């Protein structure tokens, strides 16, 4: 859906794992932006009907970019900045319990 | 964590930065909290990074964007306490703020709060707007500013407002394939707007910039279709194209990989709504704004608003309003005499007047027409979180629902995580249209804290750390 | 003086709408007045518990009778109000608490009611699989559950309208009440309503009406019970959960959200009809939830709110004919547990008005129980 104008060499960027794929992005990139760069077409499915959604506002308003970041669900991916080694997963439906007992 | 402050400024855009710089300069113990990782707000998003590490992008974003760097540098130089990546989830009339920072929740106390929460793009409930591949044009611009990203494949930009042409030009400069611009402005709008030209001449640079953007798109051969109506996004799992009706009533469709929508910007009122401040309705631009005095003080005296969250006046005017709110705050807190407040305000008010002179023209010309709630098809989603359609809302009104608050109970509309940010305006307008009453009579959602989600774990950590109470059964 | 109605009801919450429905079904001409719409306050924004479990002994017979109405609500009002009989369970976190719950069950049994049943460790885990290890057992009332407060109140409202009850809503409310001959005349702005009988179901504002218009004193504390709701999580819980010794009411709604209440109080402003929330107390509330369901720490809270409720010194409502004035009836001050009673309270008032009495034991709820003779010690009303 989006591409970077310039490639980021691994030594200049931050590498994160998104849905199992490693992607290197510039520092200060939001997780939502990184997910789009990683080629994710949607970042979650809705709890109500299970339809796919992608980031819409990119500024913390729409809550359509909710993802699971380092095991914590329901994070606004557009407000989270990538950190080395971060693991990000698409969020399906009402995925909020984390590690259930 | 220091919890008591003279002033807490919410937001680090142009209004927040100038408010904080002015307040700190007047000796007030000032804190800036902001949701973003770096100062600048949405308008000057990532301006430091762009100007240090991505100078090619800086050239594309131009001198208006570069101006933000001066504001940010002045703020940085003043060494004002600044907490980025900090969310505000509650404010109270006695100056308490609930915040989350690094996953932890806490409470702050301020003698005065200046909210510079900015604006958001007007949500545009048109068919297909929830599909992946659809984004706000401002959202796409954020991706460019913050990460140097541009849309892949054929991109169609639809809607109205200065940002439509600006984003089309910038993304095209950056190498994106802009397949078309669908402009909802009609010939009649241009005639109406001409009536405001004289006042706009006082701000002729705005008008010239608009013309220059238009010329640029023409030179690039990007088709701009004017006066379009009934825009919808087609596609099943993701956006595949756009359909629209031209002024003659003929329907067209375009293939598109990415669709960027923009119907102007509206004030972010979540904070002022949560505080139950008095709001007015802007009839031309169809948005709510908190009613204030000339200094930005809302109906709740503890809270002043500055910048676009007080009503859309743009980034330059925001600088003046931030400083005006800070001056008045200093007077209220005993740091500046009323006489000196007035004296310092003179130039700011003149500056503000110059930069708001163009507003009547812009408001008239760029009326939001992408989504007209009364004409929203029944199967179109208004509430993205709870997936409530226009038809469900019409049915609720037929069943006796009088306003947005009852609608929450009827349909769960507005009760999802965005708390009505994406549906509040259209819901109020749709109910008003169905009931044939003014929007003011229908009103808005009562906004409940936390206005940003706080986890149960973070809340629990806020529990007073008293020794465990004795077991009531043993006493 | 022309009589406009048989009964004037002041307060269009669940109690008022239920009263109107029960009266109108039997042919009475009723008008209901309110300053806001039905369900604006406690009736519409409470936590929705439909609970017999743990009731004050005086309320048990009423609560049991009310649940029978809940079970066939569609027959009465054409809608189930979202009622789900998922059960309610009160959890003991220690053996001492469990002993206390068992005593309680015995007391209820001795009164002739069998709905409160002690359960041990294993059965507790069968009904609440994710409960924390330290919980030893509980007290369950299996036919209890929860409902949607707004939909319930709205259903009674709609039914009242279809029974030709006049609704004077979203206006000035009752601005004046006068005795005119044998009748009561209620002024509501420019409008006048006249009837031989008047009902005060004004909730947290009920004591104000009783005092101002009828000079009857009820020492009602206005309180703001706080609640919160989370983002939806996968289904893990059926019954409504409370605790034996801590403030908690906890349920998972059909859409997956968790509704958390239990009695922590904010600050009400009854004149402005608003409330102020106390986030330190929400902290305690969240801590309590996590003590029993530790796996929920990462669940985001989406919205916090409080209702405005009237609480009496003995923690049970006023359901009573006026002690002073003929033809005046009161039902208010439900102390945060009136939602489940709503259906039966309307029936009781209709019986008091149309039949001159009811079979249910309502003596403990009389309005003059708070009157204190000069010099005598404060005497709480008897509980049975």
């Amino acid at each position: 859906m989006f591409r970077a104008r310039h490639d980021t060499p691994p030594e200049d960027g931050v590498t994160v794992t998104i849905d199992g794929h490693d992607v290197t992005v510039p520092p200060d990139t939001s997780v939502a932006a990184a997910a789009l760069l990683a080629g994710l077409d949607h970042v979650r499915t809705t709890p109500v009907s299970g339809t796919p959604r992608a980031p819409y506002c990119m500024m913390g308003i729409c809550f359509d970019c909710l993802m699971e970041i380092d095991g914590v669900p329901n994070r606004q991916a557009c407000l989270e900045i990538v950190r080395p080694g971060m693991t990000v997963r698409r969020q399906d439906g009402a995925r909020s319990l984390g590690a259930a007992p | 964590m220091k919890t008591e402050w003279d002033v807490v400024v919410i937001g680090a855009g142009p209004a927040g930065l100038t408010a904080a710089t002015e307040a700190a300069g007047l000796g007030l113990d000032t804190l800036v909290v902001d949701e973003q990782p770096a100062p600048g707000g949405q308008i000057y998003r990532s301006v430091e990074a762009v100007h240090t590490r991505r100078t090619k992008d800086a050239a594309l974003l131009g001198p208006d964007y570069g101006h933000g760097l001066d504001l940010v540098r002045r703020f940085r130089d003043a060494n004002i306490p600044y907490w980025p990546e900090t969310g505000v989830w509650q404010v109270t009339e006695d100056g308490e703020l609930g915040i989350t920072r690094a996953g932890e929740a806490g409470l702050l106390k301020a003698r005065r709060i200046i909210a510079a929460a900015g604006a958001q793009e007007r949500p545009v409930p048109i068919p297909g707007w929830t599909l992946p591949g659809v984004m706000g044009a401002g959202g796409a611009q954020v991706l460019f500013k913050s990460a140097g990203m541009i849309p892949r494949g054929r991109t169609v930009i639809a809607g109205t407002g200065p940002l439509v042409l600006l984003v089309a030009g910038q993304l095209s400069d950056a190498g994106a394939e802009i397949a078309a611009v669908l402009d909802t402005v009609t010939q009649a709008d241009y005639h109406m707007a001409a009536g405001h030209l004289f006042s706009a001449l006082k701000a002729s640079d705005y008008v010239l910039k608009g013309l220059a953007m238009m010329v640029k798109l023409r030179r690039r051969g990007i088709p701009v279709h004017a006066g379009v109506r009934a825009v919808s996004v087609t596609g099943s799992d993701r956006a595949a194209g756009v359909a629209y009706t031209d002024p003659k009533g003929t329907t067209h469709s375009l293939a598109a990989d990415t669709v960027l929508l923009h119907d102007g910007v509206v004030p972010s009122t979540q904070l002022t709504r949560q505080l139950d401040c008095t709001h007015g309705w802007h009839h031309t631009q169809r948005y709510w704004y908190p009613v204030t005095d000339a200094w930005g003080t809302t109906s709740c005296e503890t809270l002043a608003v500055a910048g676009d969250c007080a009503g859309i006046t743009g980034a330059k005017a925001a600088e003046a309003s931030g400083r005006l709110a800070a001056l008045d705050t200093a007077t209220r807190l005993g740091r500046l005499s009323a006489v000196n407040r007035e004296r310092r305000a003179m130039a700011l008010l003149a500056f503000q007047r110059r930069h708001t002179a163009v507003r009547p023209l812009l408001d008239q010309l760029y009326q939001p027409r992408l989504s007209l709630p009364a004409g929203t098809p029944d199967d179109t989603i208004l509430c993205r979180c709870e997936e409530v359609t226009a038809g469900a809302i019409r049915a609720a009104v037929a069943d006796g629902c009088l306003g947005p608050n009852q609608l929450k109970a009827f349909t769960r509309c507005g009760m999802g995580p965005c708390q009505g940010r994406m549906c509040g305006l259209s819901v109020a307008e749709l109910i008003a249209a169905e009931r044939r009453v003014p929007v003011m009579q229908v009103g808005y959602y009562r906004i409940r804290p936390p206005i940003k989600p706080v986890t149960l774990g973070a809340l629990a950590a806020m529990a007073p750390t008293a020794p465990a109470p004795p077991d009531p059964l043993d006493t | 003086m022309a009589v406009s109605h048989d009964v004037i009801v002041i307060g269009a919450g669940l109690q008022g709408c239920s009263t109107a429905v029960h009266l109108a079904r039997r042919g009475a001409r009723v008008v209901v007045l309110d300053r806001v719409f039905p369900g604006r306050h406690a009736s519409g924004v409470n936590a929705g518990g439909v609970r017999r479990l743990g009731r004050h002994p005086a309320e048990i017979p009423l609560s049991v009778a009310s649940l029978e109405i809940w079970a066939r609500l569609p027959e009465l009002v054409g809608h189930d109000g979202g009622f789900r009989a998922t059960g309610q369970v009160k959890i003991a976190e220690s053996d001492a608490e469990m002993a206390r719950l068992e005593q309680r069950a015995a007391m209820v049994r001795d009164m002739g009611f069998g709905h409160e049943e002690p359960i041990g460790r294993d059965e507790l885990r069968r009904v609440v699989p994710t409960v924390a290890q330290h919980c030893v057992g509980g007290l369950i009332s299996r036919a209890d559950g929860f409902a949607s407060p707004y939909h319930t109140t709205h259903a009674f409202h709609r039914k009242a309208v279809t029974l030709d009850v006049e609704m004077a809503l979203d206006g000035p409310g009752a601005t004046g009440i006068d005795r005119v001959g044998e009748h009561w005349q209620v002024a509501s702005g420019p409008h006048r309503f006249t009837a031989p009988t008047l009902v005060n179901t004004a909730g947290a504002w009920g004591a104000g009406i009783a005092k101002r218009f009828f000079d009857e004193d009820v020492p009602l504390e206005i309180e703001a019970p706080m609640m919160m709701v989370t983002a939806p999580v996968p289904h893990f819980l059926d019954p409504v959960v409370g605790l034996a010794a801590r403030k908690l009411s906890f349920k998972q709604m059909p859409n997956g959200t968790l509704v958390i209440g239990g009695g922590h109080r904010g600050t009400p402003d009854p004149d402005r009809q608003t409330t102020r929330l106390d986030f330190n107390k929400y902290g305690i509330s969240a801590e309590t939830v996590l003590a029993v369901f530790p796996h929920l720490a990462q669940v985001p809270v989406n919205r916090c709110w409080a209702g405005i409720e009237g609480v009496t010194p003995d923690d049970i409502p006023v359901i009573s004919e006026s002690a002073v004035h003929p033809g005046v009836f009161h039902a208010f001050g439900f102390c945060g547990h009136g939602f489940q009673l709503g259906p039966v309270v309307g029936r009781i008032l209709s019986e008091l008005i149309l039949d001159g009495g009811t079979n249910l034991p309502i003596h403990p709820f009389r309005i003059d129980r708070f009157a204190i003779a000069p010099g005598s010690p404060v005497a709480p009303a008897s509980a049975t």
Side-chain angles (χ1 to χ4, degrees), chain B residues 89-90 92-94 107 276 399-400 406 409-410 412 415-417 419 446 448-450 453-457 459-460 462-464 471-473, chain C residues 37 40 94 96-97 100 150-151 154 158 228 245 255 260 272 276-277 279-280 283-284 286-287 290 296-305:
Chain B
W89 47 263
Q90 188 201 26
T92 69
E93 57 191 358
D94 51 3
L107 297 175
D276 202 18
D399 190 26
Q406 285 170 297
F410 271 91
R412 293 198 53 78
M415 296 184 86
Q419 293 205 326
R446 272 184 299 280
R448 306 295 192 193
V454 181
T455 62
L456 283 172
L459 260 190
M462 282 176 55
D471 187 334
L473 299 172
Chain C
F37 59 82
R40 165 69 183 84
S94 68
E97 287 177 18
R100 172 94 152 248
Y150 189 85
H151 287 113
H154 185 64
R158 295 292 300 202
M228 56 181 157
N255 68 358
I260 302 165
R272 283 168 59 196
R276 243 311 251 300
L277 306 176
F279 273 87
N280 286 314
I284 300 171
E287 199 177 41
L290 296 183
L296 299 176
Q298 291 170 352
V299 177
V301 173
N302 252 0
R303 193 168 48 259
C304 295
W305 76 98

Side-chain angles (χ1 to χ4, degrees), chain A residues 5-91:
Chain A
R5 285 191 77 208
H6 318 285
D7 286 338
T8 304
E11 61 273 21
D12 294 347
V14 174
T15 302
V16 297
T17 307
I18 298 182
D19 258 19
H21 302 288
D22 285 357
V23 56
T24 301
V25 298
D28 305 339
T29 302
S30 70
V31 172
L36 292 171
L37 282 179
L40 266 67
D41 196 59
H42 68 278
V43 301
R44 70 170 187 127
T45 56
T46 61
V48 178
S49 69
T51 51
R53 291 282 174 87
Y56 182 87
C57 77
M58 291 308 298
M59 53 176 285
I61 300 290
C62 74
F63 289 74
D64 257 325
C65 64
L66 297 179
M67 298 187 80
E68 185 186 303
I69 301 177
D70 285 338
V72 183
N74 282 312
R75 305 312 303 267
Q76 288 183 273
C78 76
L79 294 178
E80 293 283 327
I81 301 305
V82 291
R83 292 186 171 95
M86 207 176 229
T87 302
V88 181
R89 293 165 55 86
R90 234 192 288 246
Q91 177 165 316

Side-chain angles (χ1 to χ4, degrees), chain C residues 10 33 35 171-179 184-189 192 198 200 202 204-220 270-271 273 322 324-325 328 330 332 367:
Chain C
I10 299 172
L33 277 68
R35 292 180 299 177
T175 49
I177 300 177
D178 291 301
R179 188 74 177 156
W184 294 100
Q185 187 182 68
V186 176
S188 179
R192 298 287 179 278
L198 191 147
N200 167 19
W205 296 267
I209 286 184
K211 176 68 184 165
R212 179 175 159 205
F213 297 119
F214 307 110
D215 201 28
E216 292 186 272
D217 273 305
V218 175
L220 200 70
D271 294 336
Q273 303 190 39
S322 165
V324 186
H325 299 283
V328 174
H330 302 281
F332 63 85
I367 192 165

